[in-house]
Amino acid sequence: MPHFKTSYLLSISFISALGGYLFGFDFAVISGALPFLRDQFGLNEYWEGFATGSLALGAIIGCLTAGRVADKYGRRPGLFLAALIFGISSLAMAFASGLGVFITARFVAGIGVGMASLLSPMYIAEVSPAQYRGRMVSINQLTIVLGILITNLINYSLRNSGPDAWRWMFGLGAVPSVLFIMGVIWLPESPRWLLKAGKEQKGLDVLKKIGGEDFSNSSMELIKLSLTGNQKISYKAVFEKAVFPAVMIGIVLAVFQQFCGINVVFNYPSNIFASIGASKDDQLLQTVFIGGVNLFFTILAMFLVDKIGRRPLMLFGAVALAILYVVIAQLLAVHSALVGLFLLAAIGTYAISLGPVTWVLISEIFPNHVRGAASSIAVLCLWAAYFILTFTFPVLAKWIGMHNTFYLYSGICMLGFLFIRAKVRETKGKTLEELESVFTPH
């Protein structure tokens, strides 16, 4: 058994996962800022949905850019570029003079977030030994939820600082961006990318730092074997008969993670709690509870993902959310304050299952030679689904009633359960190279 240098592995995983923190920040900041933005810009339900979802439109561009950057220049330059874009756009949102400038800046922020959402889990998966990979990739989800919780706490603390509170909420995103840039400078390049690029000695050196001589030699042979005859990378390769089934599974899982509906609870708590008569202070306080529950259950998921496995957690999450949404819909229909408890239960369920495990699976199931391109397509679809979800929620809530939208999400969760049961196989404990034979027919 190789002796892994866990402190080094944890260090590089946490630094690359700061991309997840930026994701969590921009994802959560809008929930606290929306009540102020409504007053500042006079938003109706369509503009409210578009202002929220514009992040996702940028993230789609970011995913496409990141896939090409990651395959051509490496994972590390891509992470650096994501952090730089994010920092600049955070300041642009803070100083926005009008709605058009704000939405444009949020769209640009989405490019950075989209790049980070693809590259951070991909990088961690490529540097992690098989037996730790699920836990290590889950660090990315941990930093996402830390970003959400810390941002919600900051939003709550700024709630009484005047009509320009939203400017501080967005502008503070420059701080983690600078920390991320400093960390990326120190990161080594992914050993799998180095070997693919013909930089064998550099790849071997990184593998030695992670697990010593024996681990580096055995890993190198497996990586070389998986890359044989596949040195040219293109999006066209993703649609080859041998690869496409795995890509489709990744796409469906990514879309389901969004269409399961939980992100309306993260992005629109003010709308949901206003519908039962909660004050603005209470609405912002609920975001803090949501962030706390999300963090606790994400940490729990990190310990379970390599023990219980990916598939059982995904199945549990889908069916439990389907049931919880039915209860939430009924409570919203009668304007019951008890809805808060069941929304927190739904957050906890998601945080232990569909939230982190989807990212783990996306980072695992694609063959080495198309991982950059295939991951970018799957995450692109995830962001497209996020835009559709967040844009349509305020509109659906007005058209068919907020409670009925949760019945809709419940039905989607049952469909997701059936898909996972039929198509998703267990991946825990297998190397990325071994998984090529699990998801790719030969």
Side-chain angles (χ1 to χ4, degrees), residues 373-406:
S375 296
S376 69
I377 289 172
V379 180
L380 182 154
C381 292
L382 182 148
W383 282 109
Y386 171 73
F387 173 76
I388 293 167
L389 178 82
T390 53
F391 178 72
T392 58
F393 177 74
V395 180
L396 285 171
K398 187 174 183 180
W399 283 1
I400 64 173
M402 191 171 292
H403 64 290
N404 284 327
T405 61
F406 281 92

mmCIF file of all heavy atoms in Angstrom, residues 373-406:
data_model
loop_
_atom_site.group_PDB
_atom_site.id
_atom_site.type_symbol
_atom_site.label_atom_id
_atom_site.label_comp_id
_atom_site.label_asym_id
_atom_site.label_seq_id
_atom_site.Cartn_x
_atom_site.Cartn_y
_atom_site.Cartn_z
ATOM 1 N N ALA A 373 -13.273 17.976 -22.414
ATOM 2 C CA ALA A 373 -14.387 18.328 -23.299
ATOM 3 C C ALA A 373 -15.712 17.793 -22.770
ATOM 4 O O ALA A 373 -16.725 18.498 -22.767
ATOM 5 C CB ALA A 373 -14.121 17.785 -24.704
ATOM 6 N N ALA A 374 -15.725 16.528 -22.322
ATOM 7 C CA ALA A 374 -16.970 15.906 -21.842
ATOM 8 C C ALA A 374 -17.469 16.577 -20.571
ATOM 9 O O ALA A 374 -18.676 16.824 -20.416
ATOM 10 C CB ALA A 374 -16.757 14.413 -21.612
ATOM 11 N N SER A 375 -16.548 16.880 -19.655
ATOM 12 C CA SER A 375 -16.945 17.556 -18.414
ATOM 13 C C SER A 375 -17.518 18.931 -18.723
ATOM 14 O O SER A 375 -18.507 19.348 -18.106
ATOM 15 C CB SER A 375 -15.745 17.704 -17.477
ATOM 16 O OG SER A 375 -15.276 16.450 -17.059
ATOM 17 N N SER A 376 -16.927 19.628 -19.682
ATOM 18 C CA SER A 376 -17.419 20.973 -20.002
ATOM 19 C C SER A 376 -18.829 20.915 -20.580
ATOM 20 O O SER A 376 -19.666 21.774 -20.277
ATOM 21 C CB SER A 376 -16.472 21.687 -20.957
ATOM 22 O OG SER A 376 -16.489 21.108 -22.235
ATOM 23 N N ILE A 377 -19.126 19.900 -21.387
ATOM 24 C CA ILE A 377 -20.478 19.760 -21.948
ATOM 25 C C ILE A 377 -21.489 19.466 -20.840
ATOM 26 O O ILE A 377 -22.569 20.056 -20.800
ATOM 27 C CB ILE A 377 -20.501 18.659 -23.027
ATOM 28 C CG1 ILE A 377 -19.755 19.142 -24.283
ATOM 29 C CG2 ILE A 377 -21.941 18.282 -23.399
ATOM 30 C CD1 ILE A 377 -19.548 18.075 -25.333
ATOM 31 N N ALA A 378 -21.124 18.557 -19.923
ATOM 32 C CA ALA A 378 -22.038 18.206 -18.828
ATOM 33 C C ALA A 378 -22.303 19.407 -17.925
ATOM 34 O O ALA A 378 -23.452 19.695 -17.566
ATOM 35 C CB ALA A 378 -21.465 17.045 -18.011
ATOM 36 N N VAL A 379 -21.236 20.131 -17.572
ATOM 37 C CA VAL A 379 -21.404 21.280 -16.678
ATOM 38 C C VAL A 379 -22.098 22.429 -17.406
ATOM 39 O O VAL A 379 -22.879 23.172 -16.810
ATOM 40 C CB VAL A 379 -20.046 21.708 -16.081
ATOM 41 C CG1 VAL A 379 -20.215 22.901 -15.154
ATOM 42 C CG2 VAL A 379 -19.405 20.546 -15.326
ATOM 43 N N LEU A 380 -21.857 22.559 -18.716
ATOM 44 C CA LEU A 380 -22.585 23.539 -19.528
ATOM 45 C C LEU A 380 -24.089 23.274 -19.442
ATOM 46 O O LEU A 380 -24.893 24.195 -19.254
ATOM 47 C CB LEU A 380 -22.098 23.446 -20.976
ATOM 48 C CG LEU A 380 -22.689 24.406 -22.014
ATOM 49 C CD1 LEU A 380 -21.689 24.599 -23.143
ATOM 50 C CD2 LEU A 380 -23.992 23.854 -22.612
ATOM 51 N N CYS A 381 -24.471 22.004 -19.578
ATOM 52 C CA CYS A 381 -25.894 21.631 -19.484
ATOM 53 C C CYS A 381 -26.445 21.914 -18.092
ATOM 54 O O CYS A 381 -27.603 22.311 -17.933
ATOM 55 C CB CYS A 381 -26.081 20.168 -19.854
ATOM 56 S SG CYS A 381 -25.766 19.823 -21.592
ATOM 57 N N LEU A 382 -25.603 21.714 -17.067
ATOM 58 C CA LEU A 382 -26.011 22.017 -15.693
ATOM 59 C C LEU A 382 -26.351 23.500 -15.560
ATOM 60 O O LEU A 382 -27.389 23.866 -14.991
ATOM 61 C CB LEU A 382 -24.883 21.629 -14.735
ATOM 62 C CG LEU A 382 -25.125 21.815 -13.232
ATOM 63 C CD1 LEU A 382 -24.372 20.738 -12.441
ATOM 64 C CD2 LEU A 382 -24.664 23.193 -12.746
ATOM 65 N N TRP A 383 -25.500 24.359 -16.118
ATOM 66 C CA TRP A 383 -25.746 25.795 -16.006
ATOM 67 C C TRP A 383 -26.940 26.234 -16.850
ATOM 68 O O TRP A 383 -27.685 27.140 -16.454
ATOM 69 C CB TRP A 383 -24.497 26.570 -16.392
ATOM 70 C CG TRP A 383 -23.472 26.573 -15.303
ATOM 71 C CD1 TRP A 383 -22.283 25.909 -15.289
ATOM 72 C CD2 TRP A 383 -23.564 27.249 -14.045
ATOM 73 N NE1 TRP A 383 -21.624 26.144 -14.100
ATOM 74 C CE2 TRP A 383 -22.386 26.958 -13.326
ATOM 75 C CE3 TRP A 383 -24.524 28.079 -13.455
ATOM 76 C CZ2 TRP A 383 -22.149 27.466 -12.052
ATOM 77 C CZ3 TRP A 383 -24.283 28.590 -12.190
ATOM 78 C CH2 TRP A 383 -23.104 28.276 -11.504
ATOM 79 N N ALA A 384 -27.122 25.603 -18.000
ATOM 80 C CA ALA A 384 -28.308 25.912 -18.806
ATOM 81 C C ALA A 384 -29.578 25.565 -18.037
ATOM 82 O O ALA A 384 -30.558 26.322 -18.033
ATOM 83 C CB ALA A 384 -28.248 25.151 -20.131
ATOM 84 N N ALA A 385 -29.540 24.409 -17.360
ATOM 85 C CA ALA A 385 -30.692 23.992 -16.547
ATOM 86 C C ALA A 385 -30.902 24.951 -15.367
ATOM 87 O O ALA A 385 -32.044 25.256 -15.000
ATOM 88 C CB ALA A 385 -30.480 22.565 -16.041
ATOM 89 N N TYR A 386 -29.803 25.424 -14.780
ATOM 90 C CA TYR A 386 -29.906 26.382 -13.673
ATOM 91 C C TYR A 386 -30.565 27.679 -14.145
ATOM 92 O O TYR A 386 -31.415 28.251 -13.447
ATOM 93 C CB TYR A 386 -28.510 26.664 -13.102
ATOM 94 C CG TYR A 386 -28.459 27.795 -12.100
ATOM 95 C CD1 TYR A 386 -28.976 27.638 -10.812
ATOM 96 C CD2 TYR A 386 -27.893 29.028 -12.436
ATOM 97 C CE1 TYR A 386 -28.928 28.679 -9.895
ATOM 98 C CE2 TYR A 386 -27.848 30.074 -11.525
ATOM 99 C CZ TYR A 386 -28.359 29.889 -10.251
ATOM 100 O OH TYR A 386 -28.317 30.918 -9.342
ATOM 101 N N PHE A 387 -30.188 28.142 -15.346
ATOM 102 C CA PHE A 387 -30.813 29.357 -15.879
ATOM 103 C C PHE A 387 -32.315 29.151 -16.061
ATOM 104 O O PHE A 387 -33.124 29.999 -15.677
ATOM 105 C CB PHE A 387 -30.184 29.767 -17.211
ATOM 106 C CG PHE A 387 -30.916 30.910 -17.861
ATOM 107 C CD1 PHE A 387 -30.759 32.202 -17.388
ATOM 108 C CD2 PHE A 387 -31.799 30.685 -18.908
ATOM 109 C CE1 PHE A 387 -31.453 33.266 -17.959
ATOM 110 C CE2 PHE A 387 -32.501 31.739 -19.485
ATOM 111 C CZ PHE A 387 -32.321 33.028 -19.012
ATOM 112 N N ILE A 388 -32.684 28.031 -16.670
ATOM 113 C CA ILE A 388 -34.102 27.753 -16.906
ATOM 114 C C ILE A 388 -34.862 27.711 -15.576
ATOM 115 O O ILE A 388 -35.944 28.292 -15.436
ATOM 116 C CB ILE A 388 -34.281 26.427 -17.681
ATOM 117 C CG1 ILE A 388 -33.724 26.579 -19.102
ATOM 118 C CG2 ILE A 388 -35.749 26.000 -17.731
ATOM 119 C CD1 ILE A 388 -33.561 25.266 -19.853
ATOM 120 N N LEU A 389 -34.280 27.043 -14.580
ATOM 121 C CA LEU A 389 -34.926 26.914 -13.267
ATOM 122 C C LEU A 389 -35.123 28.278 -12.617
ATOM 123 O O LEU A 389 -36.228 28.614 -12.180
ATOM 124 C CB LEU A 389 -34.090 26.012 -12.356
ATOM 125 C CG LEU A 389 -34.648 25.831 -10.935
ATOM 126 C CD1 LEU A 389 -35.740 24.758 -10.933
ATOM 127 C CD2 LEU A 389 -33.545 25.446 -9.955
ATOM 128 N N THR A 390 -34.034 29.060 -12.548
ATOM 129 C CA THR A 390 -34.108 30.326 -11.817
ATOM 130 C C THR A 390 -34.895 31.397 -12.574
ATOM 131 O O THR A 390 -35.532 32.252 -11.949
ATOM 132 C CB THR A 390 -32.696 30.863 -11.491
ATOM 133 O OG1 THR A 390 -31.916 30.918 -12.686
ATOM 134 C CG2 THR A 390 -32.006 29.986 -10.468
ATOM 135 N N PHE A 391 -34.868 31.336 -13.904
ATOM 136 C CA PHE A 391 -35.654 32.302 -14.674
ATOM 137 C C PHE A 391 -37.147 32.001 -14.576
ATOM 138 O O PHE A 391 -37.972 32.909 -14.474
ATOM 139 C CB PHE A 391 -35.217 32.301 -16.139
ATOM 140 C CG PHE A 391 -36.016 33.247 -16.990
ATOM 141 C CD1 PHE A 391 -35.845 34.627 -16.882
ATOM 142 C CD2 PHE A 391 -36.965 32.774 -17.885
ATOM 143 C CE1 PHE A 391 -36.593 35.505 -17.651
ATOM 144 C CE2 PHE A 391 -37.719 33.646 -18.657
ATOM 145 C CZ PHE A 391 -37.530 35.014 -18.544
ATOM 146 N N THR A 392 -37.488 30.723 -14.602
ATOM 147 C CA THR A 392 -38.915 30.356 -14.644
ATOM 148 C C THR A 392 -39.602 30.388 -13.284
ATOM 149 O O THR A 392 -40.828 30.524 -13.215
ATOM 150 C CB THR A 392 -39.110 28.948 -15.249
ATOM 151 O OG1 THR A 392 -38.363 27.990 -14.478
ATOM 152 C CG2 THR A 392 -38.668 28.907 -16.695
ATOM 153 N N PHE A 393 -38.844 30.262 -12.179
ATOM 154 C CA PHE A 393 -39.511 30.159 -10.867
ATOM 155 C C PHE A 393 -40.394 31.360 -10.543
ATOM 156 O O PHE A 393 -41.575 31.171 -10.188
ATOM 157 C CB PHE A 393 -38.492 29.914 -9.748
ATOM 158 C CG PHE A 393 -39.130 29.868 -8.387
ATOM 159 C CD1 PHE A 393 -39.889 28.771 -7.991
ATOM 160 C CD2 PHE A 393 -39.003 30.941 -7.506
ATOM 161 C CE1 PHE A 393 -40.500 28.732 -6.740
ATOM 162 C CE2 PHE A 393 -39.607 30.914 -6.255
ATOM 163 C CZ PHE A 393 -40.353 29.800 -5.870
ATOM 164 N N PRO A 394 -39.896 32.613 -10.632
ATOM 165 C CA PRO A 394 -40.802 33.728 -10.312
ATOM 166 C C PRO A 394 -42.017 33.782 -11.229
ATOM 167 O O PRO A 394 -43.118 34.138 -10.798
ATOM 168 C CB PRO A 394 -39.916 34.977 -10.507
ATOM 169 C CG PRO A 394 -38.518 34.488 -10.456
ATOM 170 C CD PRO A 394 -38.553 33.088 -11.007
ATOM 171 N N VAL A 395 -41.807 33.415 -12.498
ATOM 172 C CA VAL A 395 -42.906 33.436 -13.475
ATOM 173 C C VAL A 395 -43.928 32.344 -13.153
ATOM 174 O O VAL A 395 -45.147 32.594 -13.118
ATOM 175 C CB VAL A 395 -42.364 33.268 -14.915
ATOM 176 C CG1 VAL A 395 -43.506 33.282 -15.926
ATOM 177 C CG2 VAL A 395 -41.340 34.358 -15.238
ATOM 178 N N LEU A 396 -43.435 31.122 -12.898
ATOM 179 C CA LEU A 396 -44.333 30.006 -12.548
ATOM 180 C C LEU A 396 -45.080 30.278 -11.252
ATOM 181 O O LEU A 396 -46.277 29.972 -11.130
ATOM 182 C CB LEU A 396 -43.538 28.703 -12.419
ATOM 183 C CG LEU A 396 -43.074 28.043 -13.717
ATOM 184 C CD1 LEU A 396 -42.118 26.890 -13.414
ATOM 185 C CD2 LEU A 396 -44.262 27.530 -14.532
ATOM 186 N N ALA A 397 -44.360 30.858 -10.272
ATOM 187 C CA ALA A 397 -44.998 31.148 -8.979
ATOM 188 C C ALA A 397 -46.171 32.103 -9.163
ATOM 189 O O ALA A 397 -47.189 31.987 -8.470
ATOM 190 C CB ALA A 397 -43.968 31.730 -8.015
ATOM 191 N N LYS A 398 -46.049 33.028 -10.129
ATOM 192 C CA LYS A 398 -47.146 33.969 -10.383
ATOM 193 C C LYS A 398 -48.265 33.324 -11.197
ATOM 194 O O LYS A 398 -49.447 33.549 -10.932
ATOM 195 C CB LYS A 398 -46.610 35.205 -11.118
ATOM 196 C CG LYS A 398 -47.659 36.299 -11.269
ATOM 197 C CD LYS A 398 -47.088 37.577 -11.854
ATOM 198 C CE LYS A 398 -48.166 38.657 -11.925
ATOM 199 N NZ LYS A 398 -47.643 39.922 -12.494
ATOM 200 N N TRP A 399 -47.883 32.511 -12.176
ATOM 201 C CA TRP A 399 -48.877 31.903 -13.072
ATOM 202 C C TRP A 399 -49.698 30.795 -12.409
ATOM 203 O O TRP A 399 -50.917 30.783 -12.500
ATOM 204 C CB TRP A 399 -48.179 31.323 -14.304
ATOM 205 C CG TRP A 399 -47.758 32.341 -15.322
ATOM 206 C CD1 TRP A 399 -47.915 33.700 -15.269
ATOM 207 C CD2 TRP A 399 -47.091 32.067 -16.562
ATOM 208 N NE1 TRP A 399 -47.386 34.302 -16.381
ATOM 209 C CE2 TRP A 399 -46.875 33.330 -17.200
ATOM 210 C CE3 TRP A 399 -46.670 30.906 -17.197
ATOM 211 C CZ2 TRP A 399 -46.252 33.431 -18.439
ATOM 212 C CZ3 TRP A 399 -46.034 31.017 -18.420
ATOM 213 C CH2 TRP A 399 -45.825 32.263 -19.042
ATOM 214 N N ILE A 400 -48.998 29.836 -11.806
ATOM 215 C CA ILE A 400 -49.706 28.641 -11.287
ATOM 216 C C ILE A 400 -49.716 28.562 -9.768
ATOM 217 O O ILE A 400 -50.295 27.627 -9.197
ATOM 218 C CB ILE A 400 -49.105 27.333 -11.868
ATOM 219 C CG1 ILE A 400 -47.660 27.147 -11.411
ATOM 220 C CG2 ILE A 400 -49.199 27.324 -13.386
ATOM 221 C CD1 ILE A 400 -47.054 25.787 -11.805
ATOM 222 N N GLY A 401 -49.077 29.534 -9.098
ATOM 223 C CA GLY A 401 -49.017 29.516 -7.645
ATOM 224 C C GLY A 401 -47.724 28.858 -7.175
ATOM 225 O O GLY A 401 -47.283 27.850 -7.748
ATOM 226 N N MET A 402 -47.120 29.422 -6.145
ATOM 227 C CA MET A 402 -45.831 28.921 -5.667
ATOM 228 C C MET A 402 -45.917 27.461 -5.229
ATOM 229 O O MET A 402 -45.022 26.658 -5.497
ATOM 230 C CB MET A 402 -45.330 29.795 -4.520
ATOM 231 C CG MET A 402 -43.880 29.515 -4.147
ATOM 232 S SD MET A 402 -43.241 30.732 -2.992
ATOM 233 C CE MET A 402 -43.198 32.204 -4.013
ATOM 234 N N HIS A 403 -47.007 27.092 -4.568
ATOM 235 C CA HIS A 403 -47.115 25.714 -4.062
ATOM 236 C C HIS A 403 -47.144 24.704 -5.206
ATOM 237 O O HIS A 403 -46.552 23.627 -5.101
ATOM 238 C CB HIS A 403 -48.334 25.558 -3.160
ATOM 239 C CG HIS A 403 -49.646 25.770 -3.841
ATOM 240 N ND1 HIS A 403 -50.069 27.002 -4.289
ATOM 241 C CD2 HIS A 403 -50.641 24.895 -4.167
ATOM 242 C CE1 HIS A 403 -51.256 26.891 -4.849
ATOM 243 N NE2 HIS A 403 -51.627 25.624 -4.801
ATOM 244 N N ASN A 404 -47.784 25.061 -6.318
ATOM 245 C CA ASN A 404 -47.873 24.117 -7.437
ATOM 246 C C ASN A 404 -46.522 23.885 -8.124
ATOM 247 O O ASN A 404 -46.295 22.826 -8.709
ATOM 248 C CB ASN A 404 -48.900 24.609 -8.459
ATOM 249 C CG ASN A 404 -50.323 24.388 -7.991
ATOM 250 O OD1 ASN A 404 -50.607 23.412 -7.302
ATOM 251 N ND2 ASN A 404 -51.221 25.297 -8.332
ATOM 252 N N THR A 405 -45.619 24.883 -8.047
ATOM 253 C CA THR A 405 -44.292 24.670 -8.634
ATOM 254 C C THR A 405 -43.554 23.550 -7.905
ATOM 255 O O THR A 405 -42.782 22.799 -8.514
ATOM 256 C CB THR A 405 -43.437 25.960 -8.589
ATOM 257 O OG1 THR A 405 -43.238 26.365 -7.243
ATOM 258 C CG2 THR A 405 -44.072 27.066 -9.392
ATOM 259 N N PHE A 406 -43.804 23.398 -6.599
ATOM 260 C CA PHE A 406 -43.129 22.330 -5.846
ATOM 261 C C PHE A 406 -43.701 20.954 -6.179
ATOM 262 O O PHE A 406 -42.990 19.953 -6.108
ATOM 263 C CB PHE A 406 -43.173 22.620 -4.344
ATOM 264 C CG PHE A 406 -42.137 23.630 -3.923
ATOM 265 C CD1 PHE A 406 -42.450 24.986 -3.872
ATOM 266 C CD2 PHE A 406 -40.847 23.236 -3.623
ATOM 267 C CE1 PHE A 406 -41.498 25.921 -3.515
ATOM 268 C CE2 PHE A 406 -39.879 24.167 -3.260
ATOM 269 C CZ PHE A 406 -40.202 25.517 -3.205
#
